[in-house]
Amino acid sequence: MSVLTPPDVVLEARFARELPELGVPWQAVDAPDPRLLLLNEGLAEELGLDPRWLSSPEGVRLLIGRLVPEGASPVAQAYAGHQFGGYSPRLGDGRALLLGELTDREGRLRDLHLKGSGRTPFARGGDGLAAVGPMLREYVVSEAMHALGIPTTRSLAVVATGRPVVRERMLPGAVLSRVASSHLRVGTFQYARATGDLELLRRLADHARDRHGPPDGPSEQPYLALLRSVVASQAELVARWMLVGFVHGVMNTDNTTISGETIDYGPCAFLEAFDPRTVYSSIDDQGRYAYGNQPVIARWNLARLAEALLPLLDDDESRAVELATECLEAFPETYAGAWLRGMRSKLGLDGSATDATVSTLADDLLQVLEANRVDHTSFYRSLGVAARGDTEPVRSLVLDRPALDRWLARWRTLAPDGELMDRVNPVYIPRNHLVEEALAAGTKGDLEPVTRLLGAVTDPYRERPGLERYAEPAPTDVAAAYLTFCGT
Ligand code: AMP
Ligand code: MG
């Protein structure tokens, strides 16, 4: 393996060095015929990486983990996790590697991570590989989320490996390079706690505090402050998902970050017809991770984090439980506050309407949307048109016009601001049928549809002529049958 380092790639090995018990030093498998499919030039520049160099054969070798810059020490990270409620003591990166951390142009430390880079000691029965389609999906959806202002891991590149992977059929393989403010998960804490090594747990918590704050306050116990801030950032994150109609699909504790970023885009999808019971994942037959359950599940996952942290909160266990419970009890209020603030903007209302008014108005609207199976994204965008005086576009989306008209009349007395609405209600989201279409073409080597879709969803608020089909819901029969398969 080469140790040639281009002058501007400096990768640190902080996680590997500070938490050796939580990572296994490992190498990416070689790719027979690596080809760069997508490169995120803006993100590369943000990271101080030259996109032209990344596109060169040497750069592509970095993107598949075969060129390891000096100072880096790639590891497969260990973590545990509750998957669909059942505990697995040892999951870990079965097909992923943390290459190391780099400091971006703004001085922030960012993880550079690969997915699909070969089997690791955590692979269990898996082949360690990833197919082009799911890696393109993660790229498209994560970049769309970022453009929507939702905290998320980012996607730097997708490289086709030239190695076929065996799924229901043979598919071309790929490696995704991903960037995150860290890859610490609730499951990382569960794993550390389960070792029984409290000093390790404390080192992990210190590492997390170092990377994600909050800054040490004068009075608060530091680990309690950490828990409190993770509870707040997850509550705010899930509120953002709900406001945009995002269904993560596999909210296991190993897919719940300490940073508050969305991670691990597997069977995720966006709502079209508004319905809290919506489930897209083919493996979620109980609907545990249905759209409307996401806040409850996030809180449940945070309770698992709190349990893992208990020994650091207080020497007296019952006191520790009391402190943790009090932190968790902040979740509903933080969530509701973030959601209501978001709804206030979506409805174009300024500060003069009271929270109680906005809350009742929003709840009543959701009932209309659900009863009429209204397309979530186009509804809010058309409502912006209604704020400017033309109610026909929004009325055309709802069958029960009298119910909508009654609601519109109440809303209009609050003088909604259509300009404000257009800044928060996207025109373009990664609609499921368009994502599928783009992935199918990408799998066959045609990247044009993915590129066009990315063009629409990475600039989601600016309506542009020629992109009409990216703003429209799927034909009803297609939407009703839509299922996603876990991102393998
Ligand atoms: P995910 O649901 O993608 O977050 O994955 C859950 C766990 O399964 C993680 O520990 C992954 O590393 C592992 N995993 C998923 N797919 C594979 C694969 N093809 N080979 C090895 N491990 C995998
Ligand atoms: Mg995962």
Side-chain angles (χ1 to χ4, degrees), residues 195-271:
T195 63
D197 179 350
L198 292 191
E199 190 271 334
L200 170 63
L201 183 66
R202 188 180 304 273
R203 239 185 307 128
L204 172 61
D206 288 338
H207 182 92
R209 287 170 52 227
D210 200 40
R211 293 196 73 168
H212 306 298
D216 283 341
S219 56
E220 178 118 286
Q221 205 265 29
Y223 306 111
L224 197 59
L226 173 67
L227 177 60
R228 203 183 295 288
S229 83
V230 180
V231 169
S233 57
Q234 282 289 337
E236 280 172 33
L237 176 67
V238 176
R240 306 293 296 265
W241 291 357
M242 300 301 284
L243 290 163
V244 80
F246 176 73
V247 186
H248 182 282
V250 57
M251 289 178 72
N252 295 332
T253 58
D254 54 303
N255 293 336
T256 303
T257 57
I258 301 305
S259 64
E261 289 175 351
T262 314
I263 197 170
D264 278 355
Y265 294 87
C268 59
F270 283 80
L271 283 187

